[in-house]
Amino acid sequence: MSTKKVYIETYGCQMNEYDTELVRAVLQKENYTLVENESEADIVMLNTCSVRENANRKVYNRIHTLRRERNGQPVMIGVLGCMASNFRQKLLENRNFNIDFVIGPDSYKRLPQLLKAAETRGEKAYDVTLSEFEDYADVYPSRQGGVNAWIAVMRGCNNFCTFCVVPYTRGRERSRSPLNIIEEVRRLVDEGYQQVTLLGQNVNSYHHQGKDFAYLLERVSRVKGIERVRFTSPHPKDFPHELLHVVAENPKVCKHIHLPLQAGSSRILNSMNRTYTKEEYLKLVDDIRQHYPRIVITTDVIVGFPTETDEEFAETHEVMEKVQFDAAFIFKYSERKGTIAARKYPDDVSAEKKKERIVRLNELQNSISLRKNQAHIGEVQWVLIEEESTRKSLLDVQGRNDGNKIVIFPRDSHRKGDFVDVLIQGATPHVLRGKVVEHS
Ligand code: SF4
């Protein structure tokens, strides 16, 4: 048991946010106190991400700042998450960082033990072993409020997309048992949650003793008290008809699919090892829309993957025009240490080309998103309020509709966690605006 105070800072994706909730639970069980301000902490943990280059840089800068700010004071600093797996040696051996411990994503249960070793023996502690089994099914995350609860239903990934570090930093795919997940959802309902988001690096490849993701979605939606079920992020290769059927027919499953495209050229997709062609992706979008024509589809795209020509980039542009995504997260390719792409393909698309391409796709997507959002004007949408103010106004609240779009409207007497009917009256590429109307 410890009397130490811990401050945790989280970088990167939602899975990392979830892992921080697991770490909080592990530490609280051993009596560590979690604090909101690093200046009060005896131990600072950075839960890191390795997916983008600037994420790594941010963490290195943060370590320097922390050491400078706490100069002379006894504080332990440690790195958790994907960077821990990927850069263990660099982090531990670089004297400038002066890191005390490095713990990978499958070793969080050992944190108290490793911290103790670092505290009492003054040793640098590390464990970045990846497990084929660790699913944290026996750790109930320590959440910090909010109206949506994230639940990791599987961890790791077997896909080895050539640009991605996840299979190396988070290990092989493994799924939790449906019963264990449903038990967690029931507990969440008792705590007042009405919405859950099922989370996985490749969430729709979930499988546990013959049960697949369609089964899990259906079962979770049946938990009494749950109003909405979301999931992220799926891979286009794992969309059997049963899953599309559940998404389309089950009123509790939100009508939004985030479907990473990554590139519109089949040759580039093959170099990325995405395991689908442009035509197969477009066919899947057609299938999804046949099941539910008004579904919201969003995507991720990488521009400037090695050897991408102007013509191949034009194919990505064309696919985006054809599909008319509701929103897209567009990134410039940057080499990640340890990936297949870093070993096999020189990063040969110039920075100017990447910039030009990202600007063109963002322009295209903004005009599509605006048009799609404007089409909602006049509709009444069911919105779950997530924030009691917005960045721009203390008098407005912010929520999300079924399609995961942000909706802003005057607060009046409405509170975080309320479901309300909102008449949509205006739109930008990124948000909808409206006013609450009586439930019809
Ligand atoms: S599906 Fe590809 S991009 Fe997604 S986590 Fe797995 S390897 Fe990475």
Side-chain angles (χ1 to χ4, degrees), residues 157 159-161 163-164 166-167 201-202 235 262 274:
C157 184
N159 286 339
F160 291 93
C161 300
F163 53 80
C164 182
V166 165
Q201 241 80 41
N202 187 13
H235 189 292
Q262 307 301 9
R274 290 293 290 173

Side-chain angles (χ1 to χ4, degrees), residues 51 156-168 170 173 200-203 233-237 260 262 272-274 300 302:
V51 171
C157 184
N158 289 348
N159 286 339
F160 291 93
C161 300
T162 57
F163 53 80
C164 182
V165 287
V166 165
Y168 310 98
R170 290 187 164 271
E173 195 175 289
Q201 241 80 41
N202 187 13
V203 72
S233 272
H235 189 292
K237 77 177 171 57
Q262 307 301 9
M272 289 175 162
N273 193 30
R274 290 293 290 173
D300 295 325
I302 296 172

Side-chain angles (χ1 to χ4, degrees), residues 193-213:
Y193 287 94
Q194 300 174 81
Q195 176 179 291
V196 291
T197 304
L198 308 185
L199 201 59
Q201 241 80 41
N202 187 13
V203 72
N204 51 338
S205 73
Y206 172 92
H207 60 278
H208 188 273
Q209 295 180 357
K211 307 293 189 216
D212 64 6
F213 189 61

